[in-house]
Amino acid sequence: MENKRTPEIRFAGFTDTWEHRRLGEIAADTYGGGTPATSNEEYWNGNIPWIQSSDLTENHLFGVAPKKHISESGLRKSATKLIPQNSIAIVTRVGVGKLAIMPTQYTTSQDFLSLSNLKADVWYSVYAIYKKLRGELNAVQGTSIKGITKEELLSKSIFVPQIEEQAKIGKLFKQLDDTIDLHQHELTTLKQTKQGFLQEMFPAEGASVPKIRFPGFTGDWEERKLGEVIDNQYNGQTPSRENTSFWEGDINWLSSGELNRGVVAKTIEKITEDGRKSANLKIVPKGTFVMAITGLEAAGTRGNCAKLGIDTTLNQSCMALYPNEKLLNSSFLFQWYRKVGQEYGLQYTQGTKQQSYNAELIKKLPIILPSVSEQILIADFFDSLDNLITLHQRELDALKETKKAFLQKMFV
């Protein structure tokens, strides 16, 4: 029979069963909070950190940066308390379930209960409590959680090993989160770097040359209409949903909702050859630029596009563009449209309820172009940046999955 008092994965040398402990037993002291009168300026902008729920980030258990500070008089004249360093601040009302270790003394709003002077390793405790609260909140997902009382929180229990094992587990998860933070920072920096280059390597509005160019290229870029530099356009259809023989085949079928402003590597649905024939669908080859042409009224879908990493058919909300290769490089078109797509979606689409493009509107979209040889260098540069961003995103996702698995297997 499985032992529910030991985890599936342990550090070598530890065999003792874990003890069941209530949070009220782990914390020697607990503190609530309060808010000094906001109308009294003397209570604010002092040197004492004061945190509110919005200062904490979901699933992030340290590194809280208080946005507000209170004064000594604000501390004395309100219900808030000065809480010792290395306490765990837990949100019990708005944003219930968020928590973090606070390495220095601090105060909080009334939305918190803080656990202090812990009789357990602080890092082990914060991850164990996080896992406990996440599990309970996920179990009631979709239900409105207005808050949790002090008594309810302190009555909750976790399993606790001996202190040496606690310290090892806490240190491991802190190192995992530090690594995740580092990868997140690198990913954010890469994305910001890319945005900077997009601004500098394409001409600004009203300009005919960019601020940054590859060596050897001079002269103005030329403004054209898309219809002048593409040979063809194509949008697809949806085979009848009523005919089951048209679906679950081996031919990719792409919908506009799957356009990810990146490279499409797979489709959610596939059709059969009979389904393809029934809707007279063409196979659009890998490397083609595809843009969304309907449902562009929402900021999240306006400017949606992709470069195909697979051969696929399309639904009626996707438009494939086939450039004249002597005038326009497909990868350059993709990078350019990612830059201007949201703005163009506001300027050039039609419709009152659902903003849309059609083939003639697309032909009228302005594009400013250098020579094809310069286009290729620019596209290759941004493709390389995209590949690096994708690699960092995969590494970050893998680290998060590793942490998730260890949370399941290293705690009871």
Side-chain angles (χ1 to χ4, degrees):
M1 184 175 178
E2 185 182 358
N3 187 346
K4 295 296 184 181
R5 287 183 174 269
T6 58
E8 188 174 338
I9 296 176
R10 302 183 76 169
F11 284 98
F14 296 101
T15 57
D16 294 349
T17 56
W18 290 22
E19 297 180 4
H20 209 233
R21 303 274 291 280
R22 289 185 298 106
L23 298 188
E25 297 173 312
I26 290 173
D29 300 297
T30 61
Y31 296 85
T35 303
T38 55
S39 59
N40 193 327
E41 293 182 2
E42 292 182 4
Y43 294 168
W44 296 91
N45 300 317
N47 297 318
I48 303 171
W50 181 85
I51 63 171
Q52 51 194 333
S53 176
S54 59
D55 290 335
L56 274 65
T57 303
E58 199 82 40
N59 304 321
H60 203 265
L61 307 184
F62 54 92
V64 176
K67 297 181 182 70
K68 297 182 179 180
H69 291 72
I70 63 173
S71 63
E72 290 287 347
S73 59
L75 176 62
R76 290 195 305 270
K77 298 294 180 66
S78 71
T80 196
K81 307 294 182 184
L82 187 62
I83 304 167
Q85 64 184 23
N86 293 324
S87 297
I88 299 175
I90 304 174
V91 179
T92 57
R93 298 213 293 186
V94 180
V96 59
K98 292 195 290 186
L99 71 162
I101 290 176
M102 299 297 294
T104 61
Q105 289 184 319
Y106 66 104
T107 59
T108 77
S109 74
Q110 58 273 20
D111 292 337
F112 287 85
L113 180 69
S114 292
L115 310 182
S116 301
N117 299 315
L118 300 178
K119 301 173 185 177
D121 180 81
V122 65
W123 287 106
Y124 173 84
S125 299
V126 77
Y127 284 106
I129 296 169
Y130 165 77
K131 181 177 183 293
K132 175 75 173 182
L133 295 178
R134 284 297 98 196
E136 293 186 358
L137 289 172
N138 288 339
V140 293
Q141 196 169 18
T143 303
S144 177
I145 306 297
K146 294 182 179 179
I148 183 172
T149 66
K150 174 182 177 180
E151 291 72 24
E152 287 173 330
L153 182 59
L154 295 180
S155 68
K156 294 185 182 299
S157 60
I158 59 175
F159 281 96
V160 179
Q162 59 179 287
I163 193 67
E164 293 83 5
E165 190 171 6
Q166 291 177 38
K168 284 182 175 290
I169 294 170
K171 182 179 179 181
L172 171 67
F173 279 94
K174 174 61 164 60
Q175 289 173 336
L176 261 177
D177 269 341
D178 283 341
T179 306
I180 287 170
D181 280 356
L182 178 62
H183 277 68
Q184 183 65 67
H185 177 72
E186 290 175 347
L187 180 61
T188 300
T189 300
L190 272 172
K191 289 180 177 180
Q192 291 171 343
T193 299
K194 180 189 171 186
Q195 287 303 311
F197 278 125
L198 281 171
Q199 298 304 315
E200 303 290 324
M201 295 182 72
F202 287 85
E205 186 174 355
S208 59
V209 293
K211 292 181 179 179
I212 296 176
R213 297 184 84 165
F214 286 98
F217 293 98
T218 58
D220 292 350
W221 289 28
E222 183 181 6
E223 185 167 315
R224 307 287 291 269
K225 301 293 184 185
L226 264 182
E228 299 171 349
V229 292
I230 60 174
D231 287 336
N232 200 5
Q233 301 158 270
Y234 168 75
N235 69 301
Q237 291 294 330
T238 301
S240 172
R241 294 283 185 182
E242 296 178 0
N243 193 326
T244 56
S245 69
F246 292 168
W247 296 91
E248 297 184 14
D250 55 8
I251 300 172
N252 293 315
W253 182 81
L254 183 69
S255 67
S256 59
E258 297 171 80
L259 301 180
N260 57 5
R261 292 184 172 89
V263 177
V264 171
K266 60 182 180 179
T267 60
I268 295 172
E269 295 185 280
K270 294 179 183 291
I271 60 173
T272 63
E273 178 62 18
D274 285 344
R276 187 193 70 78
K277 289 179 179 178
S278 73
N280 196 28
L281 290 171
K282 298 179 182 178
I283 301 295
V284 181
K286 175 180 178 179
T288 304
F289 168 75
V290 177
M291 59 188 288
I293 59 172
T294 61
L296 305 178
E297 61 279 353
T301 57
R302 191 182 304 123
N304 265 5
C305 64
K307 183 168 70 171
L308 298 182
I310 53 173
D311 296 342
T312 186
T313 57
L314 307 176
N315 81 346
Q316 61 275 13
S317 295
C318 295
M319 180 75 79
L321 303 187
Y322 299 92
N324 180 325
E325 294 181 357
K326 295 179 180 179
L327 301 172
L328 177 61
N329 174 265
S330 188
S331 292
F332 179 88
L333 171 62
F334 168 59
Q335 297 293 349
W336 164 80
Y337 189 76
R338 284 207 295 187
K339 181 177 182 295
V340 304
Q342 291 198 48
E343 174 193 340
Y344 276 30
L346 288 171
Q347 282 188 297
Y348 297 103
T349 53
Q350 292 182 345
T352 52
K353 291 185 178 180
Q354 189 178 58
Q355 298 297 305
S356 303
Y357 285 115
N358 57 42
E360 292 308 309
L361 280 174
I362 290 172
K363 289 178 182 178
K364 295 176 183 178
L365 296 181
I367 183 171
I368 186 166
L369 297 172
S371 66
V372 172
S373 56
E374 189 172 1
Q375 290 178 37
I376 291 171
L377 284 176
I378 293 169
D380 287 349
F381 173 77
F382 282 106
D383 283 348
S384 296
L385 270 179
D386 286 339
N387 290 336
L388 194 57
I389 288 169
T390 298
L391 177 62
H392 275 69
Q393 185 66 63
R394 286 175 182 165
E395 290 174 348
L396 179 62
D397 292 343
L399 279 168
K400 289 180 178 179
E401 286 300 313
T402 298
K403 177 186 171 183
K404 183 179 178 181
F406 277 146
L407 277 169
Q408 294 302 315
K409 296 180 181 296
M410 296 190 73
F411 289 87
V412 177

